[in-house]
Amino acid sequence: MVGPALDPARIPRHVAVVMDGNGRWAQQRGLRRTEGHAAGEKALFDTVEGAIDAGVRWFTVYAFSTENWRRPPDEVRYLMGFNKGILERHAEDLHARDVRIDFAGRRDWRVPRGVLRRMDWAADLTRHNSGMTLTIAFNYGGRAEIVDAVRGLVAEGVPADKVDEKAIRRHLYHPEMPDPDLMIRTSGEFRISNFLLWELAYSEIVFLDVLWPDFRREHLFDAIREYQARERRFGGVGSP
Ligand code: IPE
Ligand code: IPE
Ligand code: MG
């Protein structure tokens, strides 16, 4: 796992992570799926610390998708309480580290009021921090985000010929957030699963075999090294 040092001049500004594989991690150990989610907490905060140390400015994690409501009610209930607990256990530490906590997703009737209150509390507590921004994608769907952006445009009465990429971006959940430079998905699945559909247009994607509860900052550094070895062309022809 130890490789060459990271190039400090080419640290991705924004890293987004699909934290996947908790259920399989638990299953391999004869545990309940929810115990896999619990084990993911250590992975998350070790990785957040690593991202801060590496100088990543924006770090976004996929915690609950708009499709995850399809899971058994017990697991959904667990995940709601777990995500609230994560904020209770870590928001103050993150605040001390100058991290700004933010959320992306729909605040619909399915999200328990107590969870929304905790989210607002964590966001308010850390609102003025100027270190890394940790965005938690919660009840988030990439298609829902685009639908919500279009609704915003229509509600504003924007005429058709004024709808362009800039106008859509203005209505995304976080227009100020730069697009991810690097997206990491764990667990060996090769798909996006409705994460940041608009924003990932030109992100470098690294798929890793490790299950999320086993993920540590060294895996993040490995992914950043892989990112640094790639050439981004954005549709052009690249350097000669
Ligand atoms: C990711 O792990 C966590 C969430 C989706 C909330 P999974 O629960 O999807 O784990 P697998 O993919 O079933 O192993
Ligand atoms: C994506 O993982 C969502 C999160 C990590 C929160 P899923 O496990 O829900 O995705 P699929 O079902 O394998 O595509
Ligand atoms: Mg999964």
Side-chain angles (χ1 to χ4, degrees), residues 18-24 33 68 71 185 187 189 191 193:
V18 180
M19 310 183 286
D20 194 24
N22 298 350
R24 278 162 282 170
R33 291 179 54 83
N68 287 149
R71 295 189 177 201
R185 183 172 186 146
S187 90
E189 305 287 3
R191 53 179 175 265
S193 300

Side-chain angles (χ1 to χ4, degrees), residues 19 66 71 130 137 146 189 232 239:
M19 310 183 286
T66 47
R71 295 189 177 201
S130 56
I146 294 170
E189 305 287 3
R232 303 184 76 183
S239 44

Side-chain angles (χ1 to χ4, degrees), residues 127-181:
R127 185 173 305 281
H128 300 293
N129 292 345
S130 56
M132 190 176 84
T133 297
L134 171 65
T135 304
I136 301 174
F138 187 76
N139 194 20
Y140 175 86
R143 289 183 175 177
E145 180 174 25
I146 294 170
V147 167
D148 290 348
V150 172
R151 283 183 183 165
L153 287 168
V154 172
E156 259 182 18
V158 176
D161 64 335
K162 293 280 185 284
V163 176
D164 55 14
E165 292 187 11
K166 238 164 103 184
I168 291 177
R169 183 175 295 275
R170 250 193 315 116
H171 287 86
L172 295 178
Y173 294 141
H174 292 293
E176 75 291 358
M177 181 176 87
D179 288 344
D181 303 290

